[in-house]
Amino acid sequence: QNINNSNILTQNYYFKLLNNLNTSTSDYTNLASSIANGGKGWNSIGNSSSNFTGTFDGNNYTINSLVINNNIDSAYLGLFGYINNATIQNIGITNTDIIGGNNSYIGGLVGYNYNGTIKNSYSNGNIEADDSTNIGGLVGYNYNGIISNTYSKGSITTGNNAYAGGLVG
C-alpha cells in the first residue's frame, strides 16, 4: 500500500512480490479487508492524477481476498487503479470482491491501463458497478496497452450504458 506514496508512485521504480498475500499475512488483512480505509477496503494503487509508472513483478505469487467497496463516481479501482507506461506481470489476484460506482474504471487487476503492459497474470472474483462504467475481469479500460498471456474468471455485474468484458471492459 505504501507504493501510493507520491514520492514512490510516479518514480518508475521496480517492485517484486516476495510471497503470497492472504488473510493470514501480517498487516495485509488490515489493508485489504472490508474494514480498511473507512470501510472501503484496499486503496487502489494510482489514480487519474497520480499514475503508477513503474514495474510490478508478482514473482508468480498470488494476492488473495482483495476487497474494494468504493461506490463513488469516477473511481479507478483494482489492485492498481491507473497505470501509465507501467508493467504488471506474473501476478494472480484471487477471490477478489470489488464494488464501484457510476463512471468508474474497474478491473480485478487494473482499472485503467494507459500504454501499459500486463502479462503472465490472472484474476478471479466478483466485480460490480453501476451505470456508465468500463468494467473487466482483469482490466476495466485499456488505452494502447499490451495484454498477453492472461485470463480472468468470475462474475461481472453492471448497470446501464456500461462497457463490460470478461477480460477487458
Side-chain angles (χ1 to χ4, degrees), residues 88-111:
I88 311 296
Q89 61 190 17
N90 308 320
I91 185 70
I93 307 298
T94 59
N95 299 314
T96 190
D97 191 15
I98 301 175
I99 299 172
N102 294 327
N103 304 312
S104 299
Y105 299 93
I106 305 169
L109 182 60
V110 176

Side-chain angles (χ1 to χ4, degrees), residues 2-21:
N2 287 336
I3 295 172
N4 262 330
N5 180 314
S6 62
N7 294 328
I8 297 171
L9 184 65
T10 62
Q11 299 303 311
N12 202 27
Y13 289 138
Y14 179 93
F15 299 92
K16 189 171 191 174
L17 194 59
L18 297 178
N19 55 276
N20 293 318
L21 297 179

Side-chain angles (χ1 to χ4, degrees), residues 83-90 109-110 112-121 138-139 141-151 167-168:
I83 66 170
N84 183 344
N85 292 298
T87 298
I88 311 296
Q89 61 190 17
N90 308 320
L109 182 60
V110 176
Y112 196 105
N113 178 17
Y114 184 85
N115 293 322
T117 299
I118 300 169
K119 59 186 178 181
N120 305 326
S121 299
L138 189 76
V139 177
Y141 186 84
N142 187 59
Y143 181 85
N144 287 333
I146 297 169
I147 300 173
S148 64
N149 198 29
T150 63
Y151 70 90
L167 188 65
V168 178

Side-chain angles (χ1 to χ4, degrees), residues 1-92:
Q1 191 66 77
N2 287 336
I3 295 172
N4 262 330
N5 180 314
S6 62
N7 294 328
I8 297 171
L9 184 65
T10 62
Q11 299 303 311
N12 202 27
Y13 289 138
Y14 179 93
F15 299 92
K16 189 171 191 174
L17 194 59
L18 297 178
N19 55 276
N20 293 318
L21 297 179
N22 56 48
T23 55
S24 65
T25 305
S26 178
D27 291 331
Y28 174 72
T29 299
N30 293 333
L31 293 172
S33 72
S34 59
I35 61 170
N37 195 17
K40 295 179 181 176
W42 179 257
N43 186 17
S44 301
I45 299 169
N47 57 49
S48 61
S49 60
S50 191
N51 317 149
F52 177 74
T53 60
T55 296
F56 181 86
D57 185 346
N59 201 21
N60 297 314
Y61 288 113
T62 61
I63 296 176
N64 186 34
S65 299
L66 187 70
V67 173
I68 300 172
N69 186 5
N70 198 352
N71 197 4
I72 61 170
D73 293 342
S74 301
Y76 297 83
L77 303 177
L79 177 65
F80 290 86
Y82 196 120
I83 66 170
N84 183 344
N85 292 298
T87 298
I88 311 296
Q89 61 190 17
N90 308 320
I91 185 70

